[in-house]
Amino acid sequence: MSAETVFAAELPWPDYDAKVRDGSVPILVPIGSMEQHGCHMPMHVDVLLPVEFARRVADVVGALVAPPFTYGYKSHQKSGGGNHLPGTTSLDGATLVSALRDVIKEFARHGVRKICLVNGHFENSWFIVEGIDLALRELRWGGIDDMKIVVLSYWDFVDKATIARLYPNGFAGWDIEHGGVLETSLMLALYPHLVNLNRAVDHLPASFPPYDVYPPKPEWTPKSGTLSSPKEASKEKGEILLDVCVSGIVDALKTEF
């Protein structure tokens, strides 16, 4: 499919119908958010990255990429800085679940039987699972019981060897990587014009107590909005991440589909 678009919405409907009607072509659905990513990056990082991973993977496995979910579940203070920060624009969990359920059911109506949800925003995770569960239950009620849905987050394909290459001075953990080396490096490799490292704030990794408080305490979140420093980010690290994650996702979908 490399000579054609992999974006489903760019196809005229008869061409789309011809591709998906028999259920053999997978649909990849990027799921992101509008969330602050520090002073050095835009707020749609969590959309741009899963869309690009989906595009690269689709070209290899013969899939189509659906339009992304551009809003996600509320930013959690310990993984995204918190929903109180300006710019972060989120959905209630029930809204995300309902929308995802509806979209899955619609693709099933078109004939699609293989779906991969490519997550780019950690906080979406359990609501994605709930949306899938409700959609599959309702599809079974309608006699459709041959759906297969894969859920993945691109960062889960970064293995220990790659982590050692990316973080030679030690890895603080994925939970505080928000706006840090991983996302910034990927953005430098893919969208360097959207990154201004001169505005990146170098600070120690965020430290949180082993409990949550609501409403969140703004003083717990570094003022920059990032939870770890992006100072060690680079285009070269981004290229490494792209190779590792795309390869891992391709292998996973070849295995499951």
Side-chain angles (χ1 to χ4, degrees):
M1 294 177 62
S2 58
E4 310 172 30
T5 181
V6 297
F7 292 105
E10 293 180 358
L11 294 170
W13 78 261
D15 299 2
Y16 169 81
D17 179 46
K19 286 182 181 295
V20 306
R21 188 189 313 144
D22 68 358
S24 63
V25 173
I27 293 286
L28 311 184
V29 185
I31 306 181
S33 70
M34 180 175 173
E35 180 186 39
Q36 66 78 28
H37 276 74
C39 303
H40 64 296
M41 290 198 295
M43 292 187 290
H44 63 336
V45 168
D46 289 352
V47 177
L48 292 175
L49 295 181
V51 168
E52 180 59 16
F53 277 115
R55 185 191 69 80
R56 291 179 179 227
V57 169
D59 207 34
V60 178
V61 303
L64 288 174
V65 180
F69 279 67
T70 55
Y71 297 98
Y73 185 64
K74 299 159 190 168
S75 178
H76 183 58
Q77 191 162 28
K78 293 183 181 180
S79 54
N83 214 62
H84 62 287
L85 288 165
T88 298
T89 307
S90 306
L91 301 175
D92 286 344
T95 306
L96 179 57
V97 167
S98 294
L100 182 58
R101 177 199 63 193
D102 290 350
V103 167
I104 291 171
K105 290 168 61 181
E106 283 294 275
F107 283 130
R109 178 176 65 82
H110 304 159
V112 174
R113 292 298 179 266
K114 303 171 187 176
I115 296 175
C116 176
L117 305 179
V118 185
N119 185 32
H121 178 62
F122 175 79
E123 288 87 341
N124 287 337
S125 299
W126 291 112
F127 300 94
I128 291 173
V129 173
E130 180 70 356
I132 292 168
D133 185 64
L134 295 183
L136 292 179
R137 182 175 70 186
E138 293 178 22
L139 287 169
R140 285 193 295 268
W141 291 342
I144 297 175
D145 59 3
D146 56 347
M147 293 286 293
K148 187 168 192 177
I149 302 176
V150 173
V151 183
L152 56 87
S153 299
Y154 66 83
W155 54 84
D156 285 333
F157 293 89
V158 183
D159 56 22
K160 291 181 179 179
T162 303
I163 289 174
R165 295 174 67 189
L166 299 177
Y167 303 91
N169 298 318
F171 179 53
W174 291 128
D175 52 337
I176 55 172
E177 251 301 295
H178 180 71
V181 170
L182 174 103
E183 290 178 310
T184 304
S185 294
L186 283 167
M187 289 294 290
L188 285 170
L190 294 169
Y191 305 101
H193 62 290
L194 296 178
V195 182
N196 184 352
L197 282 181
N198 292 327
R199 297 188 64 187
V201 179
D202 184 18
H203 60 79
L204 293 173
S207 177
F208 298 104
Y211 57 87
D212 300 306
V213 173
Y214 297 96
K217 294 184 174 183
E219 63 270 21
W220 281 8
T221 302
K223 290 183 179 179
S224 65
T226 59
L227 299 187
S228 58
S229 173
K231 72 169 186 173
E232 300 296 334
S234 68
K235 176 183 177 181
E236 292 72 25
K237 289 182 178 181
E239 296 290 352
I240 291 170
L241 286 162
L242 281 172
D243 290 343
V244 169
C245 295
V246 170
S247 176
I249 296 170
V250 166
D251 288 346
L253 296 189
K254 286 183 174 178
T255 297
E256 297 302 329
F257 292 157

